[in-house]
Amino acid sequence: MTSLLVQPTGAAQAPTQTRRRGRGGILVAVLRNRKASIGLGIFVVFCLLAAVPQLFTSVRDPNKLAFTPSETPSGAHWLGTTALGQDIWAQLVYGTRQSLVIAVAAGLFATVLSVLIGVSAAYLGGVADDVLSLLTNVFLVIPTFPLIIILATYAGKGTLLVVLIVLVVTGWSYGANQLRAQALSLRNRDFLESARVRGERRSYIIVFEVLPTMTSLIVANFLGAALYSVLTAAGLQFLGLGDPNSISWGTMLYWSQNQQALQTGLPLWSIAPGACVALLGVAFALMNYAFDEISNPALRPVRRPRVRRVHS
Amino acid sequence: MKFLLRRLGFFVLTLWAALTLNFFIPRMMPGSPLNALRARTHNKLSPAALQQMLTAYGFKPNQNWFVQYLDYLGNMLSGHWGISIGATLGTPVSKLIGQALPWTLGLVGVATILAFALGSLIGTVSAWRRGGKVDSILPSVFVVTSALPYFWVGLLLILVLSLWTGGLLPSDFNYDNSLQPSFTLPFIGSVLRHAILPAGTILITSIGGWILTMRNNMITTLAEDYVRMGRAKGLPNRQIMYGYAARNALLPNLSGFAMSLGFVISGSILVEYVFNYPGLGYLLYNAVQNTDYPLMQALFMLFTVAVLLAVLLCDFATAWLDPRARAKG
């Protein structure tokens, strides 16, 4: 989870980059970057699974105890069946949707919140900045996972909505901190000064002048927040704090742990959903890191040993 | 001095905010702790004892909430954390925490510091040998490992190194139950053997972040003029690498270290749960399962204090190491 800290060190270069590249440039840059295209590829596959699970399995009700329990992988059941008699592959396919929705929705809302708080703190300055950045720092430091566990317990075993709210409330602070720093560095740039001189309203300047220059950082933040949400939601459900009847990877992990899948010779039951969580997390992390490389050329992989000769 | 005072102020304020959250969450959430407690202790305790326990918990529904709040703050800060009302009914919370604390400190503390030190070192070397063999694979590998879920790595390690090897490495508890805790060789060996897998899990998942941030910081620092100056002076490479570049690149990582402790604590809850390791995280999991409110509150406060203390220490270290931080305050 420390990967959340791996975000633009040289973010200040971002605006000039995006401006020079123009429309469609980001997409081309993403496709050219190997890490980004692998990440994007995994993400697209999961999106497909989430959108049309019927295409990938003949089972229609994956939670129904319809099969012989504890079967090993075979042609009929690609990954075997659970100790309760469900098809593991079908559960995996149908579970994609909830895990993906949690990741994207929580990531999106958390990013919106960090943009709102981070950018307004930097732009308003003065007391408003002091209050908002104090709030950000407090949320940044308070250990969120114990808080999430406690929140989810009090709110009754979490429905999807509870899990989402909890993830957003605890996930926005890191991004807000970064966006504030970035917006602060933009504050006294000429193009903002000229907008001010033109007599534009503050809201106009923030939305149409400041935000577009921060696109790459905002996207990076979304990816970071989505990664955080995938891992945290799965962890929460794994501990049994989600809805035990829902279909998701975390819930599968909960039941497999509950039934001692590892010790009873059904390792796939717990390794497979965990691997999916990991893959989705890796997809977000790869895209995030690649974005960092795209917006900060200094970090790009060096192909020729030219630089080395200079250094040594 | 002003810098340190500001940081101290932040410490107190955040602690207060966390404690306040901790106080209000149970009171705002649906479902009364009182009912849960009644249900749990239905036949086991007399009404008088129940009343006494509730008082210790600080839950006096008829009292003015502000008075309750002040009492609660006083109790939390003075170590009167009440009595467990979960599976370990009647045991003082401070005793339960005292038993679990050393295990978590030993396991998570050592693994985290090891990950930080090793990660920073590897990151330094990788940035120095830019474009070398190590540097071309490392970033991709560690982007992947740092996105893996803690519990999954734990499960995988159990499967591969414990089950498939026929129990070569233990995957349960903190030491062999047949041994008596003592300072003898077999006991210490057993403790270490039981720590390998959980510590390995923490190391694998957390080291990647350090390597990547350190590498990126180093790359930025290596472009600085003072590094070029060092080269022009003909200083030995080793000295430029560690004495000039790494020293400066480490500073942002240091504050990141404190911040990341929150993530490590979250991860360690899952790791301790997977390995049934009787530390604070496992204790929190049990407290949640048994709706043990006093224990939950005390643990959450402890976690917050731990992170805050780390942040404070790193702030002091930064102020000591970096004159710019002192001047800015």
Side-chain angles (χ1 to χ4, degrees):
Chain A
M1 285 206 181
T2 36
S3 67
L4 291 174
L5 300 168
V6 192
Q7 281 187 357
T9 37
Q13 288 104 314
T16 46
Q17 280 288 315
T18 33
R19 227 178 301 149
R20 200 190 311 140
R21 215 182 291 119
R23 263 165 214 274
I26 289 187
L27 194 69
V28 173
V30 165
L31 289 180
R32 269 205 201 129
N33 186 304
R34 199 154 47 101
K35 291 193 195 79
S37 26
I38 294 176
L40 198 65
I42 301 174
F43 183 69
V44 168
V45 170
F46 278 131
C47 283
L48 261 179
L49 285 175
V52 277
Q54 302 87 340
L55 290 185
F56 299 91
T57 167
S58 57
V59 182
R60 287 292 165 268
D61 182 4
N63 262 5
K64 204 175 155 200
L65 315 177
F67 306 101
T68 329
S70 309
E71 269 192 61
T72 45
S74 62
H77 305 290
W78 291 358
L79 297 176
T81 58
T82 69
L84 306 167
Q86 299 135 320
D87 186 87
I88 293 177
W89 168 251
Q91 283 204 321
L92 215 55
V93 169
Y94 276 90
T96 312
R97 186 175 292 167
Q98 202 189 83
S99 305
L100 200 66
V101 164
I102 289 182
V104 173
L108 210 62
F109 287 124
T111 311
V112 169
L113 205 58
S114 20
V115 169
L116 275 180
I117 292 180
V119 175
S120 22
Y123 199 76
L124 296 175
V127 182
D129 183 23
D130 285 343
V131 172
L132 287 177
S133 47
L134 186 68
L135 189 73
T136 312
N137 283 326
V138 168
F139 267 92
L140 202 55
V141 173
I142 289 180
T144 46
F145 198 69
L147 185 65
I148 289 177
I149 291 184
I150 290 171
L151 268 173
T153 313
Y154 282 124
K157 304 257 154 133
T159 55
L160 193 59
L161 191 69
V162 172
V163 173
L164 264 180
I165 293 175
V166 162
L167 286 175
V168 170
V169 168
T170 55
W172 61 273
S173 54
Y174 189 76
N177 205 23
Q178 280 198 321
L179 289 167
R180 176 177 166 271
Q182 168 82 352
L184 268 184
S185 75
L186 286 176
R187 252 189 104 174
N188 297 320
R189 295 280 178 87
D190 287 343
F191 70 99
L192 291 186
E193 198 53 51
S194 76
R196 239 166 273 149
V197 172
R198 285 205 309 271
E200 305 287 8
R201 272 174 297 131
R202 272 184 172 183
S203 52
Y204 173 88
I205 297 182
I206 290 183
V207 175
F208 292 101
E209 301 277 349
V210 178
L211 286 187
T213 57
M214 295 171 59
T215 322
S216 67
L217 190 57
I218 293 173
V219 173
N221 263 312
F222 164 73
L223 293 171
L227 169 62
Y228 163 81
S229 307
V230 176
L231 296 182
T232 312
L236 211 55
Q237 290 171 328
F238 174 62
L239 288 180
L241 293 168
D243 175 3
N245 296 318
S246 68
I247 310 170
S248 73
W249 298 332
T251 315
M252 287 178 75
L253 282 160
Y254 165 70
W255 284 112
S256 67
Q257 184 74 6
N258 197 345
Q259 301 288 324
Q260 303 252 312
L262 282 187
Q263 285 77 11
T264 52
L266 289 170
L268 274 177
W269 189 10
S270 83
I271 296 302
C276 283
V277 174
L279 261 178
L280 187 57
V282 166
F284 285 126
L286 279 176
M287 287 193 276
N288 192 359
Y289 192 78
F291 234 86
D292 207 3
E293 280 182 357
I294 291 169
S295 62
N296 185 2
L299 300 178
R300 282 180 204 163
V302 183
R303 295 258 150 67
R304 279 168 298 165
R306 187 172 53 89
V307 176
R308 237 184 119 193
R309 200 179 61 227
V310 179
H311 278 190
S312 50
Chain B
M1 200 56 221
K2 203 178 152 205
F3 172 78
L4 297 186
L5 281 179
R6 271 180 67 141
R7 299 313 300 174
L8 265 178
F10 176 69
F11 177 87
V12 173
L13 201 89
T14 315
L15 186 60
W16 168 79
L19 286 176
T20 306
L21 268 180
N22 208 359
F23 175 81
F24 282 105
I25 287 171
R27 283 160 181 79
M28 289 189 318
M29 288 292 167
S32 147
L34 188 63
N35 290 342
L37 180 60
R38 278 213 184 104
R40 272 208 72 77
T41 56
H42 200 61
N43 304 316
K44 295 183 200 155
L45 282 170
S46 67
L50 191 67
Q51 191 57 45
Q52 190 203 350
M53 228 156 54
L54 283 174
T55 315
Y57 174 40
F59 199 83
K60 297 164 218 160
N62 302 325
Q63 210 174 27
N64 182 342
W65 68 264
F66 191 69
V67 179
Q68 286 185 46
Y69 177 60
L70 288 184
D71 279 354
Y72 156 84
L73 280 186
N75 284 339
M76 277 289 139
L77 294 177
S78 59
H80 296 291
W81 296 334
I83 292 162
S84 162
I85 55 171
T88 42
L89 196 71
T91 323
V93 167
S94 45
K95 195 179 159 204
L96 287 173
I97 290 180
Q99 285 166 353
L101 184 66
W103 294 107
T104 294
L105 271 185
L107 177 75
V108 181
V110 170
T112 309
I113 291 172
L114 210 64
F116 178 69
L118 264 179
S120 298
L121 189 70
I122 298 176
T124 306
V125 174
S126 154
W128 183 258
R129 308 225 169 112
R130 195 73 205 289
K133 266 200 192 114
V134 181
D135 187 52
S136 57
I137 345 166
L138 267 183
S140 315
V141 170
F142 285 110
V143 167
V144 171
T145 59
S146 62
L148 299 179
Y150 276 89
F151 54 90
W152 185 65
V153 175
L155 291 173
L156 212 59
L157 286 183
I158 290 180
L159 183 69
V160 175
L161 291 176
S162 183
L163 291 175
W164 286 357
T165 56
L168 179 70
L169 287 172
S171 62
D172 254 356
F173 307 118
N174 47 352
Y175 56 83
D176 206 330
N177 272 342
S178 60
L179 295 170
Q180 281 294 317
S182 59
F183 275 104
T184 55
L185 221 52
F187 178 72
I188 294 173
S190 166
V191 168
L192 288 179
R193 267 162 47 87
H194 280 78
I196 292 177
L197 288 186
T201 309
I202 297 177
L203 203 64
I204 289 174
T205 40
S206 62
I207 197 170
W210 299 124
I211 294 180
L212 294 174
T213 34
M214 188 64 192
R215 173 177 173 273
N216 293 0
N217 291 343
M218 260 305 263
I219 287 172
T220 318
T221 315
L222 281 175
E224 296 279 350
D225 285 340
Y226 54 79
V227 173
R228 188 165 305 158
M229 174 73 182
R231 283 214 181 86
K233 279 201 292 190
L235 291 179
N237 269 337
R238 181 172 288 270
Q239 197 176 346
I240 300 176
M241 181 166 147
Y242 294 112
Y244 278 57
R247 267 174 90 153
N248 284 295
L250 194 64
L251 286 174
N253 243 19
L254 204 59
S255 49
F257 178 69
M259 290 288 181
S260 82
L261 212 67
F263 293 122
V264 175
I265 286 176
S266 358
S268 73
I269 294 175
L270 292 166
V271 170
E272 287 182 357
Y273 169 68
V274 169
F275 289 97
N276 291 323
Y277 202 85
L280 291 181
Y282 193 62
L283 203 59
L284 179 68
Y285 171 75
N286 281 330
V288 167
Q289 288 300 311
N290 297 313
T291 49
D292 195 343
Y293 296 105
L295 189 53
M296 268 194 255
Q297 283 192 323
L299 281 172
F300 180 63
M301 184 199 64
L302 263 191
F303 286 142
T304 316
V305 170
V307 175
L308 280 176
L309 267 182
V311 170
L312 200 65
L313 283 179
C314 284
D315 277 339
F316 287 172
T318 314
W320 176 52
L321 293 169
D322 189 355
R324 286 170 301 186
R326 282 198 298 264
K328 208 169 57 183

